[in-house]
Amino acid sequence: MKSAVLVFPGINRERDMARTLRLVCGHEPAMVWHADTTLPAGTDLVVVPGGFSYGDYLRCGAIAGRAPIMDAVRAFAAKGALVLGVCNGFQILCEAGLLPGVLMRNSQLKFLCRDVYLKVERSDSPFTRGYNAGQVIRVPVAHGEGNYIADAATIARLEAEGRVLFRYCDPNGNTDLDWNHNGSLNAIAGIVNERGNVLGMMPHPENHVESAMGCTDGRGLFAGLADHLARAA
Amino acid sequence: MPLKGPILAFGLAALASVAPSAPTDPSSTMGAERGGPAWSETKWPFLLDQWGTGRAYRCPAAACGVETNLYLRAKVGFCNCETGVADDAEVDRVADVELLGDRYVPAGDGRPITVGWMRGRSRPYSLEIARGARRVLAVAFNDKCDVVVATVVAERELPAGAEGAALAFLNGNQVLQWAKAELGAQ
């Protein structure tokens, strides 16, 4: 497994992501600067990490979504290769046109930094094969703009095509307004593109992978990816 | 992400500050406009956050009983367009109390207020500080989908007349002209 973590000015979670990839997948990822125009040869997985790319100016992810490296990422995704965007990475993938919809300011207009519960909607995806369908996991969020919005037709299509992989829920897996912390439509926390090879999600699974962190629920995502790529090799 | 800590720390520092800063515009001293006490503009004391910088004003102890600060910001497009600031839940949502710290709770029900052509509500909050709690007043009023929020805090407990003094100042020409420009109102 050869992964690449994109680095934009203002990103601050790239080292967390690199550490997790090294820890769970056993390989050191390449760190790829935003001004580069190509990905390292043989890359299996591109990760767009969280942070505040370009200080969140214009809109979150708007500038990074148009960075030079993103043409290479779009070409990479078009081949069916795996792309994961977390938090600001999700916003960047939406701005880059790789995922539909937009992440608006949280409905309560407050920055959220806490653990949330997610229901894994399906396990037959490269990103969720490390979980069981219906499993509830606990992972942290840290964002001011995670309120997923799309037009009604897009939401209907996402739901009909099973493209919602993660949904905010209570500890028992019930979707409830009180547990949909940022107000996302249909409690959406993570979606994939039509081909299922590009995932964007607001929570940070990379921050719950070691017992020292108090929880290892995020580990399944990366272990599943490593397993998927090992089988594909 | 870790930006939050510094912003809050800076807010607390601003709250605790007793050192007067020079008004950025001496001509903005409000005098006794509409019967309100003298407010003068000071430098915005908080780090930049997602709402940008606002306007900061100070009323000296001689005029307000205790030195009182008022922080004013517009949040364009983030009010409930249909109902405006109609209830305390909307005040809680749009208020800026977190500029001063993240440990705060409502200290009572809000009440309707009017600022110029805009309607809204004011609500008291209790802010946890290093040695006890401090009363903070949040005032929110809207023009269609746009909301203006004012946060009033004193170096000691807010005096009884603080809300009246703040509303008198908010209803003054300076703030109303600023609000019209900021909100693009006619």
Side-chain angles (χ1 to χ4, degrees), chain A residues 12-13 50-52 57 87-88 104-113 142-145 204, chain B residues 1-4 48 50-52 75 78-79 89-98 104 147:
Chain A
N12 61 10
R13 295 299 188 101
F52 297 90
Y57 281 96
C87 196
N88 192 207
M104 297 286 287
R105 202 155 289 180
N106 297 340
S107 58
Q108 291 303 311
L109 305 186
K110 306 288 190 283
F111 187 94
L112 296 173
C113 184
H143 60 249
E145 291 86 3
H204 287 272
Chain B
M1 280 138 236
L3 255 185
K4 195 76 175 168
L48 184 66
Q50 68 267 38
W51 302 109
K75 297 184 176 180
F78 283 95
C79 195
E90 186 67 357
V91 181
D92 294 346
R93 195 175 76 92
V94 300
D96 257 348
V97 183
E98 65 179 357
Y104 61 89
V147 65

Side-chain angles (χ1 to χ4, degrees), chain A residues 116-122 128 134-139 141 148 155-176 179-182 184-191 199-203:
Chain A
V116 299
Y117 293 96
L118 300 181
K119 183 178 181 183
V120 182
E121 291 288 347
R122 49 190 292 186
T128 53
Q135 184 175 346
V136 176
I137 62 173
R138 178 166 65 90
V139 286
V141 294
Y148 184 79
I155 294 292
R157 191 170 170 203
L158 287 172
E159 295 288 1
E161 295 174 356
R163 288 162 56 189
V164 178
L165 295 195
F166 298 103
R167 219 181 288 273
Y168 300 108
C169 66
D170 71 11
N172 298 313
N174 304 306
T175 51
D176 183 297
W179 294 87
N180 182 9
H181 307 276
N182 56 28
S184 291
L185 284 176
N186 291 17
I188 288 172
I191 58 167
L199 168 66
M201 62 188 299
M202 286 311 296

Side-chain angles (χ1 to χ4, degrees), chain A residues 28-88:
Chain A
E28 189 75 35
M31 307 305 281
V32 178
W33 187 234
H34 69 112
D36 289 348
T37 54
T38 58
L39 294 165
T43 298
D44 298 311
L45 168 70
V46 168
V47 182
V48 191
F52 297 90
S53 60
Y54 298 93
D56 279 350
Y57 281 96
L58 298 184
R59 292 183 306 275
C60 300
I63 302 175
R66 291 152 181 83
I69 191 61
M70 292 309 293
D71 283 337
V73 175
R74 275 185 283 267
F76 183 76
K79 292 189 299 185
L82 298 176
V83 178
L84 167 64
V86 171
C87 196
N88 192 207

Side-chain angles (χ1 to χ4, degrees), chain A residues 218-232:
Chain A
R219 200 177 177 101
L221 189 148
F222 300 96
L225 277 172
D227 184 55
H228 170 82
L229 290 169
R231 288 170 188 267

Side-chain angles (χ1 to χ4, degrees), chain A residues 4-15:
Chain A
V5 176
L6 304 191
V7 182
F8 299 91
I11 285 283
N12 61 10
R13 295 299 188 101
E14 77 276 15
R15 291 174 190 274

